[in-house]
Amino acid sequence: MATGIELLVAAALCVACPPLNDSPPTNLIQLGENGTYSPVTELPIDVEDSDAVFDPDAPVETLETINRKKPKLREMLDWIGGKHLRIATLEDYPLSYTEVLENGTRVGHGVSFQIIDFLKKKFNFTYEVVVPQDNIIGSPNDFDRSLIEMINSSTVDLAAAFIPSLSDQRSFVYYSTTTLDEGEWIMVMQRPRESASGSGLLAPFEFWVWILILVSLLAVGPIIYLLIILRNRLTGDGQETPYSLGHCAWFVYGALMKQGSTLSPIADSTRLLFATWWIFITILTSFYTANLTAFLTLSKFTLPYNTVNDILTKNKHFVSMRGGGVEYAIRTTNESLSMLNRMIQNNYAVFSDETNDTYNLQNYVEKNGYVFVRDRPAINIMLYRDYLYRKTVSFSDEKVHCPFAMAKEPFLKKKRTFAYPIGSNLSQLFDPELLHLVESGIVKHLSKRNLPSAEICPQDLGGTERQLRNGDLMMTYYIMLAGFATALAVFSTELVFRYVNSRQEANKWARHGIGRTPNGQSVAPSRWLRGWRRLNSGHGQLLGANTHGQNVTPPPPYQSIFNGGSHGAPLNRWRRPLANGNALGNGVLLGGDSEGGVRRLINGRDYMVFRNPNGQSQLVPVRSPSAALFQYSYTE
């Protein structure tokens, strides 16, 4: 980049430059120690320091070529003076657009016609503005009623619009050698309520980190269990009892929840396994807590669609201008967006004939959630006007001011130029002047002249105060619902299995004739009915509840079995009245005598079989030694 002193020196030299009719200026370069000099032309301006794009295929301007062009240029200057040109353009606000006056005259506006007006004053010509029948650039497959049809047929002398340089159109028109700018088409979408990087409980880690955490949570418990079993078998240590798989799995889960453990391993290897998992969980939870705080307060806002690949992989609907650079870049095979052609076939891409960008923004983006693809100057003007309108609705709420967000990565980048009919010599006059306008930054200035210097509606609005929403805590609700649903499913499974087991047990005893009256009818109420009776009787013992540590009435002494309950209370407390007025010992008398249980020979020993209050069968030994031990275990 040239310094200020160099620019001043160059300006002073230009004052001394001869006019066009004289010989062109040259610089003297010393060739050797003999002091001789040789005249050569000035080097071209550094491309990297200019907005213009240098074409490496363009011929190098030498002193000889410039001298040959001078007479031709003078002839063209004489020819264009006072000439009337027909200039075609497109409705592409703010770069080029037209207005029809009351007298029917069409007047051109925008950056393109500000450049044309400059050329008009420079070369003293007049012009009229025409537009194609359809507001499209055109292509070999979309040629009729297009702009390139007018240029190709020489109906117009020049196309004053920012026309993207596409490969298929080169055989129909001649693009200007001076690139006005490198057009960037940007995506505009509805501003999402939360960042695409996530929010809430899952935000601190990406998807695969959560998957690996879940895998480790499921795998570490069995791994610890297997290593403990392997260690005991290899060492033959009988002092430490191996923990069960359930204990190991519960230890892993409890450590993840920062809970303590009742497991106290003795072996050093087992202690190291436990300590390793604790250290891993400590580091993991520390990172999670810190990142969660950062995401809820200082996280960078990102959009769900930033590049062309996001549109393609997620099959997102998008809309762009009919007959614009985006459409032809997709439909043309050798262009950069040709991979999106199948989205047109699947109706994911819409090309609107409406030239009003505000209409497209409201109809497609705001109402239907489409992504709007438009060139950057039009996007900036459109969002700025929408911002000014919405600020009249709400003065202080930034979310109301900026309901749309603009992606930072360009959807498409193309050089844009004016276009001439093939064989036209106007480019030799206009292109050098256009190059001066581009290099001086005037074209870029004109494109941004009506915009503020600050960025309009950036991705991150920069608000520091943020209250937690339900969306941030949605994962906690999901966890609670999943936990309750799982518990309900397990509880239902327990009830089903308990019912199935009771039915199997009842059928087993029924095959032996136990629990039935002499006429073959079952006298034992169902287990569900017995549990309901216990609840209503006020005993407070739930179905299947553990009776350890409770004062449960033991079965009657074996002597009372033979004397018909002469001892009174013990036997009566183990009986329950039936519908026919009989009493069943031990809750339900299992067949046989109505005053006692059923005597059975089991494994070579005599037993009296009773039903206890919880529905289980109780065996009371009949032989004296066994009966004494049985009685002692219940009463002493």
Side-chain angles (χ1 to χ4, degrees):
M1 179 67 71
T3 61
I5 297 178
E6 292 174 344
L7 293 176
L8 292 175
V9 173
L13 292 176
C14 281
V15 172
C17 292
L20 183 62
N21 295 331
D22 297 334
S23 60
T26 60
N27 290 338
L28 296 180
I29 302 178
Q30 187 173 358
L31 299 180
E33 297 179 356
N34 54 4
T36 61
Y37 293 88
S38 175
V40 298
T41 57
E42 260 188 323
L43 294 176
I45 190 169
D46 189 1
V47 177
E48 295 182 355
D49 296 338
S50 173
D51 294 332
V53 179
F54 177 71
D55 187 2
D57 298 330
V60 179
E61 293 285 343
T62 62
L63 180 61
E64 184 179 356
T65 58
I66 293 176
N67 288 330
R68 283 201 307 265
K69 288 182 178 179
K70 282 177 56 181
K72 186 176 182 179
L73 291 176
R74 280 196 293 267
E75 292 178 0
M76 294 179 61
L77 286 173
D78 295 338
W79 169 80
I80 199 173
K83 190 172 181 60
H84 184 75
L85 303 179
R86 284 173 57 87
I87 299 178
T89 189
L90 293 173
E91 299 293 340
D92 185 21
Y93 186 87
L95 300 179
S96 61
Y97 60 100
T98 63
E99 178 188 4
V100 179
L101 302 180
E102 295 180 356
N103 58 3
T105 305
R106 187 177 293 272
V107 181
H109 298 286
V111 180
S112 298
F113 285 94
Q114 288 176 313
I115 297 175
I116 293 296
D117 289 339
F118 168 77
L119 297 176
K120 174 185 175 182
K121 295 178 181 178
K122 177 82 174 179
F123 297 104
N124 191 25
F125 63 85
T126 60
Y127 68 90
E128 63 176 306
V129 181
V130 294
V131 294
Q133 292 177 325
D134 293 339
N135 190 51
I136 59 176
I137 298 174
S139 70
N141 299 324
D142 192 16
F143 191 75
D144 296 337
R145 306 164 62 92
S146 65
L147 179 67
I148 65 171
E149 182 191 20
M150 300 178 67
I151 303 173
N152 182 258
S153 61
S154 297
T155 307
V156 295
D157 300 299
L158 167 68
F162 282 62
I163 304 173
S165 179
L166 300 170
S167 58
D168 282 359
Q169 283 84 341
R170 291 184 180 275
S171 59
F172 298 93
V173 299
Y174 177 76
Y175 288 114
S176 171
T177 57
T178 300
T179 300
L180 297 177
D181 73 344
E182 186 173 25
E184 294 182 347
W185 281 260
I186 307 297
M187 294 184 292
V188 175
M189 66 203 74
Q190 287 182 347
R191 182 177 297 276
R193 297 190 60 184
E194 61 184 27
S195 175
S197 58
S199 65
L201 297 181
L202 297 180
F205 298 147
E206 62 179 11
F207 174 76
W208 286 109
V209 175
W210 286 112
I211 292 297
L212 293 178
I213 291 175
L214 180 61
V215 170
S216 64
L217 184 63
L218 297 177
V220 170
I223 290 174
I224 291 177
Y225 172 73
L226 293 177
L227 291 178
I228 292 176
I229 295 297
L230 181 62
R231 181 258 175 197
N232 285 356
R233 292 189 177 181
L234 293 178
T235 60
D237 185 9
Q239 184 177 1
E240 181 178 359
T241 303
Y243 299 120
S244 65
L245 179 60
H247 285 119
C248 294
W250 190 253
F251 160 75
V252 171
Y253 177 76
L256 182 64
M257 297 293 106
K258 292 295 190 71
Q259 300 298 318
S261 175
T262 58
L263 304 183
S264 180
I266 300 176
D268 293 337
S269 59
T270 308
R271 291 178 175 179
L272 288 176
L273 291 175
F274 281 33
T276 302
W277 178 251
W278 275 330
I279 293 174
F280 169 76
I281 289 301
T282 300
I283 297 175
L284 182 68
T285 53
S286 299
F287 275 109
Y288 176 80
T289 304
N291 286 348
L292 181 61
T293 304
F295 265 87
L296 293 177
T297 55
L298 304 175
S299 61
K300 183 180 178 180
F301 190 87
T302 57
L303 298 176
Y305 309 102
N306 295 282
T307 62
V308 178
N309 289 332
D310 295 335
I311 298 292
L312 181 62
T313 56
K314 299 177 182 179
N315 287 328
K316 179 62 178 178
H317 289 82
F318 68 93
V319 59
S320 186
M321 298 293 295
R322 164 78 176 97
V326 174
E327 180 180 2
Y328 297 130
I330 295 175
R331 295 185 185 274
T332 306
T333 305
N334 57 350
E335 289 291 344
S336 58
L337 298 181
S338 59
M339 67 280 196
L340 297 178
N341 194 23
R342 67 175 182 86
M343 299 192 70
I344 299 178
Q345 302 171 0
N346 297 331
N347 297 324
Y348 286 105
V350 176
F351 299 105
S352 174
D353 293 321
E354 180 61 51
T355 59
N356 189 345
D357 292 330
T358 303
Y359 171 84
N360 293 326
L361 185 69
Q362 295 177 351
N363 186 59
Y364 289 100
V365 180
E366 187 173 13
K367 293 182 179 179
N368 299 318
Y370 281 36
V371 171
F372 186 27
V373 182
R374 192 76 164 87
D375 64 301
R376 189 181 292 275
I379 287 292
N380 291 333
I381 290 290
M382 176 182 62
L383 292 182
Y384 180 55
R385 289 185 172 181
D386 183 77
Y387 171 81
L388 293 179
Y389 166 73
R390 294 179 185 275
K391 198 168 184 179
T392 60
V393 177
S394 176
F395 183 77
S396 59
D397 192 352
E398 290 184 349
K399 295 181 180 179
V400 176
H401 299 165
C402 299
F404 308 105
M406 181 172 59
K408 293 184 178 181
E409 292 293 329
F411 190 86
L412 173 67
K413 296 178 71 174
K414 280 290 179 183
K415 299 175 183 177
R416 296 192 289 190
T417 64
F418 284 174
Y420 308 93
I422 295 177
S424 174
N425 54 9
L426 288 178
S427 63
Q428 299 180 18
L429 279 177
F430 293 165
D431 288 355
E433 302 299 330
L434 295 178
L435 181 61
H436 296 329
L437 295 177
V438 172
E439 289 178 343
S440 61
I442 293 178
V443 174
K444 181 182 291 186
H445 167 72
L446 293 176
S447 301
K448 300 180 178 180
R449 185 176 62 174
N450 296 325
L451 292 173
S453 57
E455 183 180 3
I456 303 300
C457 294
Q459 282 190 12
D460 192 355
L461 295 178
T464 56
E465 297 181 0
R466 180 176 180 271
Q467 293 179 332
L468 291 180
R469 302 184 300 265
N470 273 330
D472 299 323
L473 303 177
M474 191 60 65
M475 185 53 59
T476 59
Y477 304 150
Y478 291 154
I479 292 175
M480 291 180 62
L481 291 177
F484 281 116
T486 304
L488 180 61
V490 173
F491 175 69
S492 301
T493 305
E494 290 177 349
L495 293 180
V496 171
F497 275 100
R498 190 175 295 275
Y499 174 76
V500 172
N501 292 336
S502 64
R503 296 286 297 179
Q504 291 178 351
E505 183 182 359
N507 293 336
K508 180 180 68 174
W509 287 108
R511 286 195 296 269
H512 296 285
I514 302 176
R516 293 183 178 271
T517 58
N519 59 4
Q521 296 181 354
S522 175
V523 296
S526 67
R527 189 167 188 174
W528 302 85
L529 185 57
R530 293 196 303 272
W532 182 258
R533 288 176 178 175
R534 280 197 300 272
L535 290 175
N536 292 337
S537 62
H539 293 170
Q541 182 177 339
L542 296 178
L543 181 63
N546 188 4
T547 58
H548 294 294
Q550 300 181 14
N551 185 18
V552 180
T553 305
Y558 81 100
Q559 298 90 347
S560 63
I561 297 174
F562 306 100
N563 56 18
S566 59
H567 294 278
L571 182 60
N572 293 332
R573 294 180 61 183
W574 279 76
R575 291 179 178 175
R576 196 173 298 229
L578 293 177
N580 55 6
N582 296 330
L584 297 180
N586 200 14
V588 177
L589 189 61
L590 301 181
D593 184 13
S594 62
E595 293 296 324
V598 178
R599 186 165 182 169
R600 294 292 180 187
L601 183 65
I602 301 175
N603 293 333
R605 296 184 181 181
D606 290 333
Y607 290 92
M608 295 297 295
V609 181
F610 290 88
R611 286 269 187 152
N612 54 24
N614 61 8
Q616 300 293 331
S617 300
Q618 180 71 49
L619 303 181
V620 179
V622 177
R623 295 179 58 191
S624 298
S626 300
L629 293 176
F630 176 81
Q631 181 71 13
Y632 175 80
S633 63
Y634 271 97
T635 57
E636 298 297 330

